[in-house]
Amino acid sequence: MLCKVCSRNPVLADKRSPFFIGSTKFRIDPIKKHNVSRQHVACVRSEENREERTTVENTKIGKGFLSLHDKERQRYKNLFRTAYAVVKRCKPFRDYEYVCELQLANGVDLGKNYLRDKSAAMFTSYIADDIRCNTADALESSRYVSVICDGSTDLTVVEQEVIMVRHVDLKTGQPVTKLAALVELEHAHADGVYSALTQGLQSIVSEKQLEGQEALGAHIDKLNIVRGNFDGAAVMMGARNGVKAKLTRDYPCATVVHCVAHKLELGVLDALKLKTVP
């Protein structure tokens, strides 16, 4: 006897469990214990999320989309792809208009509506909501999560924190890195940066909260964060009151490392200071 749910999700399952390996000797108590184990619950949640994603007609957007005629549906696909291509290349929304004009000249059916820059912004927001939901589903199903964050500034020289998450993809078994959020800092000290980090993790489930689904925010303290990757600044790596200390306080199993890319940059800068290169 073995657990079919765990066997279909080997990345999440406890591979040492007899319910994953298979056995002919079981009592009722071990079965009940396995049913409420963290690994089995994660596998069940992954199965439920997979069913929800494949069953498009269960969502409001899916029902409306499936009711459209094939020709109309293809128009929306073209419009969404056009808006995505514009923002993927970091182009302004106003470029969406002339790209639509070009496609119309080439015979692509885009219809007569949703050809302005405001429509591009609307399509982009829908795409972003879908990406956030997918990221939230992935984090809920992941046994281990790593967080990566680094500071940056925008054109108005406002300090922002880039929040990334890294986890194992359930389908491929390979690690993937995704953007969680870009959060404006209230303060550049450790408390402000750590607050931005937690806000970034919370923001990726905003769409699920609006849909009335179970939100990751309610389980954000239960995320199994095992790694933090920061630059070497004292604000980030301070052992007493830095972001490192705050993260390891909330997640005792987490280890924090100095970003390899930042260390390489420092090494190159030190090398350039030498008069002669050995």
Side-chain angles (χ1 to χ4, degrees):
M1 182 171 65
L2 56 81
C3 177
K4 290 183 178 180
V5 176
C6 291
S7 62
R8 286 196 295 264
N9 298 272
V11 176
L12 298 175
D14 182 5
K15 295 181 177 60
R16 296 173 297 178
S17 171
F19 289 92
F20 182 82
I21 301 171
S23 176
T24 58
K25 299 180 181 180
F26 282 109
R27 294 180 299 173
I28 189 65
D29 290 339
I31 295 176
K32 290 181 178 179
K33 185 177 180 180
H34 174 75
N35 190 49
V36 297
S37 66
R38 182 173 62 84
Q39 293 88 347
H40 178 74
V41 171
C43 292
V44 172
R45 187 176 297 170
S46 175
E47 292 277 305
E48 293 174 348
N49 291 337
R50 189 179 299 117
E51 292 176 0
E52 290 177 1
R53 286 194 294 269
T54 55
T55 311
V56 180
E57 59 271 17
N58 287 342
T59 64
K60 294 180 180 179
I61 295 178
K63 291 178 180 178
F65 192 71
L66 292 174
S67 66
L68 298 174
H69 297 296
D70 292 339
K71 189 175 182 180
E72 235 179 333
R73 192 181 308 167
Q74 186 60 45
R75 287 176 182 171
Y76 281 110
K77 285 183 179 180
N78 294 337
L79 291 168
F80 269 91
R81 287 170 179 165
T82 303
Y84 181 80
V86 170
V87 298
K88 182 69 174 178
R89 294 293 181 179
C90 301
K91 300 297 183 182
F93 287 138
R94 62 176 177 271
D95 286 7
Y96 170 83
E97 297 187 13
Y98 83 77
V99 175
C100 287
E101 292 176 1
L102 176 62
Q103 293 199 77
L104 289 171
N106 288 332
V108 180
D109 185 11
L110 297 179
K112 297 181 180 180
N113 301 317
Y114 306 110
L115 303 178
R116 300 301 179 189
D117 56 350
K118 292 184 179 179
S119 299
M122 177 182 67
F123 291 144
T124 302
S125 67
Y126 292 152
I127 294 170
D129 290 341
D130 185 67
I131 292 175
R132 278 194 291 265
C133 282
N134 290 337
T135 303
D137 290 339
L139 291 183
E140 286 180 338
S141 303
S142 296
R143 295 177 65 179
Y144 308 108
V145 178
S146 297
V147 294
I148 307 169
C149 63
D150 192 17
S152 180
T153 55
D154 59 14
L155 293 176
T156 59
V157 200
V158 174
E159 293 193 29
Q160 310 212 25
E161 198 72 17
V162 182
I163 313 297
M164 311 286 290
V165 290
R166 188 172 176 85
H167 63 90
V168 175
D169 186 87
L170 297 181
K171 295 181 180 179
T172 64
Q174 298 296 318
V176 294
T177 304
K178 296 181 179 179
L179 174 66
L182 182 64
V183 184
E184 183 176 331
L185 291 179
E186 295 182 3
H187 303 284
H189 51 58
D191 289 333
V193 175
Y194 191 67
S195 175
L197 174 60
T198 55
Q199 288 177 32
L201 294 175
Q202 176 68 45
S203 66
I204 62 175
V205 292
S206 59
E207 183 65 16
K208 295 186 74 172
Q209 291 173 331
L210 292 174
E211 292 290 337
Q213 303 177 27
E214 186 180 17
L216 178 64
H219 304 283
I220 212 166
D221 292 334
K222 299 180 181 179
L223 277 179
N224 193 13
I225 295 178
V226 297
R227 178 62 62 89
N229 194 332
F230 311 136
D231 61 34
V235 169
M236 305 300 295
M237 299 296 289
R240 298 184 61 183
N241 199 34
V243 176
K244 171 184 176 180
K246 296 179 184 299
L247 183 67
T248 53
R249 179 197 62 203
D250 294 340
Y251 302 94
C253 294
T255 58
V256 179
V257 296
H258 187 178
C259 175
V260 175
H262 284 87
K263 293 176 72 175
L264 177 61
E265 180 188 17
L266 294 174
V268 171
L269 291 176
D270 288 342
L272 292 175
K273 294 177 183 178
L274 297 176
K275 294 182 179 180
T276 57
V277 179

